[in-house]
Amino acid sequence: MQRLVSHLVVALLVFGFFEVSAQRYDFVWLSGYSGGERTAGIDTFGISIMDFNPDTSLHLINDQANEFRFGEASTMICDSLGNLLFYSNGIEIWNYQNQLMENGDSLNVDEGLGWYVLTQGTLALPYPNHDSLWAFIHGTWDIFETTGDVSIAVSNTWYSIIDMNANDGLGKVVQKMDTLTKKPTTAGHITACKHGNGRDWWIVMLEIEDCLFSAEICDTITIKRFLLTPNGIEEYPDFTTEGFILEGGGVGQARFTSDGNQYVFSSSIGSGRPTSISIYDFDRCEGIFSNYRKVELPRLGGFDDASFGMEVSPNSRFVYLVRINRVEQFDLWAEDIKASKIIVAEYDGFRANFSTKFYLPQLAPDGKIYINTPSTTRYLHVINQPNEKGLACDLQQHSVVLPTLNGRSFPNHPNYRLYESVDSPCDTIGKDFTDVSTIASVKIEQSLKIYPNPAFDVLHIALDVPKKASIRLYNVQGQLVLEQSTDQKEQEVDISHLPAGIYFCHIQTNDHQIQTKKIIISR
């Protein structure tokens, strides 16, 4: 495979909160396995490349020569301009020339598959203030004996450091398998969120040590927090709170919303076991979780209860819970999140040697959510309009056909394009926006001010950069209660007719979408 080369795009497109910027770390996805000479020209095996360069639209590329093998544990990283740097299956790290990176072997236990089976089991983060360094988080799972059952959980989590300046840009693992935690954590919930200073990274896992040796369902959870700074990874005190974790390790996925203000995780381990969604507000400055909400869902019966994945829409409003036979949408803005559930797709029975049911979702740079299948197929489902409510989200089953087979693999990407929390206590570092590669939408978002908050009868919305913009106000039920447009730097919005309560102010310009902000109207 030739190195994938992208070009800096000056005309920038924005989909939700995923601004097309210099932070194109997730613009190339790889999947597939067992290519090389053994394929003899048969396109069943090899690597499928999903390339979102240069304009965020999806381009599919067939690389049958690559002999790498991807499984559930999957990471691939580009440089800031979208050029592929390295990729990993949790066991080895290879560079963009499809070669084993120096010191990139033996990261985990090879169980004879050639890849590692651990959803959200690997994660790569750019090292703050070090342009060439990457922190690589990776775990290994074990089976634990319990009373009358077994539990699958991550027994060790490590971090390694990759220097892409080494070996003339081919990279090297310069620090390998330092222990992050030996506490057992759930099998599928390693994720991260940009700190409110716009530089550092919160790394979050869910500890279940007290639940491993009990046949009972746990009703508490310990959230482990680490902060990646220019000086390394610092462990913060554990955050213990009510939660809902099943026996068996709580297979599922964890996500921060695109705006970084909420943390959401799903938990289910299969047939006959209950499924739940846990939701917390998140303070990006202090790393504090609060305002816990649990959506515990009724059992459907049989394997229909199994839920392996979950993703959140780009506008941070809708949660998509991916069950084996259907996909359910939940509205985080709703007063009753459980009651907001809408089934947006049910498995249509399509087969390609194996079934194409629903498995793992991942939000892509094009603003769409792609969903792979639990069987080895070349088909992906796609939610074309994930910011829309109900069936308007437009979930199309098996509509993306990959060049080669995919063995249940999808990358685990956080929102690399989340910037500092403007005007917050931790907005202390600042950024240089003079670089031509920095997107205009960040300038606009940084200059956005909505005040007062709480408000009484008039809301002031100020943008330093004059743009034609639409202003929409939603209530907690997700209903549009006010809409107007402006082309002024500052606009007064009459809210005197609205009852007291919590609202969400959403501002969208003709070429950029600005972060939704929570507004309180008092009387």
Side-chain angles (χ1 to χ4, degrees):
M1 179 181 68
Q2 298 292 324
R3 185 177 187 184
L4 301 174
V5 179
S6 65
H7 301 282
L8 180 62
V9 179
V10 178
L12 299 162
L13 303 177
V14 177
F15 297 87
F17 294 103
F18 279 68
E19 303 100 338
V20 182
S21 70
Q23 282 66 46
R24 295 176 170 231
Y25 302 131
D26 56 346
F27 266 54
V28 176
W29 298 6
L30 308 180
S31 64
Y33 53 92
S34 301
E37 295 181 359
R38 74 192 74 182
T39 63
I42 301 174
D43 65 358
T44 301
F45 299 104
I47 298 297
S48 289
I49 303 169
M50 299 173 65
D51 189 355
F52 295 93
N53 290 295
D55 57 358
T56 74
S57 60
L58 173 61
H59 306 276
L60 296 174
I61 303 170
N62 187 350
D63 179 21
Q64 289 181 251
N66 193 332
E67 298 185 24
F68 201 74
R69 309 185 78 182
F70 284 104
E72 281 93 335
S74 174
T75 290
M76 58 282 314
I77 290 296
C78 300
D79 65 17
S80 62
L81 299 181
N83 302 306
L84 185 64
L85 292 177
F86 64 87
Y87 49 91
S88 176
N89 56 10
I91 295 175
E92 296 180 335
I93 301 174
W94 284 27
N95 60 40
Y96 66 86
Q97 289 191 350
N98 303 330
Q99 301 167 340
L100 178 66
M101 184 179 290
E102 183 180 350
N103 205 26
D105 62 334
S106 305
L107 296 176
N108 218 321
V109 179
D110 186 343
E111 301 178 325
L113 296 173
W115 66 83
Y116 204 70
V117 182
L118 186 60
T119 305
Q120 284 189 304
T122 58
L123 178 70
L125 299 172
Y127 220 94
N129 286 3
H130 297 278
D131 292 340
S132 67
L133 298 184
W134 285 84
F136 186 63
I137 317 299
H138 47 112
T140 188
W141 62 273
D142 268 317
I143 296 177
F144 296 83
E145 296 285 341
T146 63
T147 306
D149 206 346
V150 295
S151 290
I152 299 174
V154 176
S155 56
N156 290 281
T157 306
W158 304 286
Y159 72 95
S160 301
I161 298 177
I162 300 168
D163 184 358
M164 288 308 303
N165 276 347
N167 293 320
D168 295 323
L170 296 180
K172 176 182 177 180
V173 179
V174 294
Q175 185 172 318
K176 188 171 180 179
M177 296 182 68
D178 284 355
T179 298
L180 197 61
T181 177
K182 291 185 177 180
K183 297 281 189 178
T185 57
T186 54
H189 295 95
I190 300 177
T191 190
C193 180
K194 186 73 71 70
H195 188 280
N197 62 21
R199 183 196 66 187
D200 303 334
W201 286 92
W202 292 105
I203 303 168
V204 175
M205 286 163 278
L206 305 178
E207 182 191 316
I208 54 171
E209 182 176 33
D210 295 337
C211 308
L212 282 176
F213 303 102
S214 170
E216 303 297 324
I217 292 175
C218 294
D219 59 1
T220 60
I221 185 172
T222 299
I223 302 178
K224 297 197 71 65
R225 303 173 296 167
F226 303 86
L227 188 64
L228 175 64
T229 75
N231 298 320
I233 296 181
E234 176 183 355
E235 183 172 3
Y236 272 61
D238 293 341
F239 185 82
T240 303
T241 180
E242 287 187 346
F244 188 77
I245 289 294
L246 303 180
E247 73 273 34
V251 172
Q253 284 185 308
R255 305 289 187 187
F256 284 96
T257 53
S258 293
D259 59 15
N261 293 328
Q262 294 186 86
Y263 173 73
V264 187
F265 70 87
S266 63
S267 178
S268 171
I269 63 170
S271 177
R273 310 280 180 103
T275 292
S276 69
I277 302 173
S278 293
I279 307 159
Y280 297 86
D281 290 345
F282 183 66
D283 184 333
R284 290 173 57 202
C285 291
E286 301 296 332
I288 295 174
F289 298 83
S290 63
N291 190 24
Y292 168 69
R293 290 94 78 201
K294 179 177 71 175
V295 179
E296 187 174 344
L297 303 173
R299 299 186 181 187
L300 301 175
F303 203 53
D304 284 347
D305 284 306
S307 172
F308 298 102
M310 183 201 65
E311 185 56 282
V312 184
S313 61
N315 65 358
S316 302
R317 177 176 178 179
F318 296 112
V319 169
Y320 291 89
L321 181 68
V322 179
R323 293 180 182 255
I324 191 75
N325 283 316
R326 70 191 198 187
V327 178
E328 299 168 345
Q329 183 196 74
F330 296 85
D331 190 346
L332 292 176
W333 295 5
E335 196 166 302
D336 186 340
I337 297 175
K338 182 176 180 178
S340 74
K341 182 184 76 174
I342 298 174
I343 299 174
V344 297
E346 294 190 83
Y347 172 52
D348 62 7
F350 180 81
R351 296 178 62 87
N353 295 324
F354 300 102
S355 72
T356 59
K357 295 185 178 185
F358 306 107
Y359 193 48
L360 300 177
Q362 176 65 47
L363 183 60
D366 61 2
K368 300 178 182 182
I369 295 175
Y370 294 85
I371 306 171
N372 63 17
T373 65
S375 303
T376 300
T377 75
R378 67 178 72 214
Y379 292 92
L380 301 179
H381 316 290
V382 59
I383 304 177
N384 288 302
Q385 303 291 334
N387 286 342
E388 300 299 325
K389 189 171 184 177
L391 296 181
C393 74
D394 188 26
L395 191 156
Q396 297 294 322
Q397 298 188 45
H398 47 82
S399 59
V400 176
V401 184
L402 297 173
T404 65
L405 293 175
N406 177 15
R408 302 177 301 280
S409 174
F410 254 179
N412 177 27
H413 287 307
N415 183 4
Y416 294 111
R417 290 167 287 279
L418 182 60
Y419 289 87
E420 68 267 36
S421 182
V422 179
D423 295 331
S424 71
C426 59
D427 178 20
T428 58
I429 295 177
K431 290 185 176 294
D432 178 8
F433 292 106
T434 60
D435 191 327
V436 68
S437 65
T438 306
I439 57 169
S441 65
V442 178
K443 297 179 183 179
I444 295 174
E445 183 175 352
Q446 190 180 40
S447 65
L448 172 65
K449 298 184 185 299
I450 301 178
Y451 63 94
N453 191 15
F456 181 69
D457 55 358
V458 174
L459 197 63
H460 295 268
I461 298 175
L463 278 170
D464 290 347
V465 181
K467 287 275 187 180
K468 185 175 181 180
S470 63
I471 301 168
R472 297 184 179 92
L473 212 62
Y474 297 86
N475 61 20
V476 291
Q477 286 79 36
Q479 300 167 325
L480 181 65
V481 297
L482 185 150
E483 183 176 14
Q484 67 184 63
S485 56
T486 180
D487 57 3
Q488 305 298 315
K489 286 186 176 181
E490 184 159 349
Q491 180 75 25
E492 290 187 357
V493 179
D494 182 8
I495 56 173
S496 60
H497 61 291
L498 297 175
I502 298 174
Y503 294 82
F504 298 90
C505 184
H506 183 79
I507 300 176
Q508 183 173 350
T509 66
N510 59 344
D511 57 352
H512 297 286
Q513 183 167 300
I514 309 302
Q515 180 177 339
T516 299
K517 294 185 179 292
K518 184 185 292 186
I519 302 298
I520 298 174
I521 298 179
S522 61
R523 293 284 184 261

